[in-house]
Amino acid sequence: MSKIEEIVDALENKISKVLHKQEVLKQTNAKLSQQLREHEQKLLEQQDEIASWAEKYETLKIANTMLGSDDNKRETKLKINALIREIDHCISQLSE
């Protein structure tokens, strides 16, 4: 009988260790999931900031061209033409 008791004790110890390890892994997983959410949020904020800076850059390019710079002159003309078409479209919708 003592042999069976030793086997049962060994099994209980192993099960206890496995359960403890499982709990540690659950906690680690929860921490990593939280870190992942934080990093994803930070990434979204950075993408928004990049988009904002890109828009500001385009605006500055257009303003620079309007102030007399020959760089990006074609892009500025195209942008102005697009804005004029958009305004004409709005006016035609209002007059209907």
Side-chain angles (χ1 to χ4, degrees):
M1 281 297 234
S2 65
K3 187 82 166 170
I4 292 175
E5 289 175 5
E6 290 175 13
I7 293 172
V8 169
D9 285 341
L11 281 174
E12 285 178 351
N13 286 336
K14 288 180 181 179
I15 290 172
S16 175
K17 287 178 182 178
V18 167
L19 290 175
H20 176 71
K21 188 163 188 159
Q22 180 187 19
E23 187 61 34
V24 169
L25 289 173
K26 279 184 182 180
Q27 291 173 357
T28 303
N29 189 29
K31 287 179 188 177
L32 290 172
S33 294
Q34 178 62 29
Q35 287 178 349
L36 178 61
R37 284 190 295 275
E38 290 171 2
H39 288 298
E40 287 173 341
Q41 179 64 33
K42 189 174 181 178
L43 178 62
L44 288 174
E45 290 170 3
Q46 288 174 343
Q47 288 174 339
D48 288 344
E49 188 175 350
I50 288 171
S52 173
W53 282 110
E55 185 178 327
K56 288 177 184 179
Y57 173 72
E58 288 300 318
T59 303
L60 284 173
K61 278 188 352 184
I62 291 171
N64 191 30
T65 302
M66 287 181 179
L67 290 174
S69 173
D70 288 336
D71 298 339
N72 307 317
K73 200 169 210 171
R74 182 177 185 284
E75 289 179 35
T76 304
K77 286 180 181 180
L78 291 174
K79 183 75 171 177
I80 291 171
N81 287 337
L83 290 171
I84 291 171
R85 281 192 299 276
E86 200 172 312
I87 290 170
D88 286 342
H89 180 71
C90 291
I91 291 171
S92 68
Q93 285 184 334
L94 287 173
S95 64
E96 290 177 0

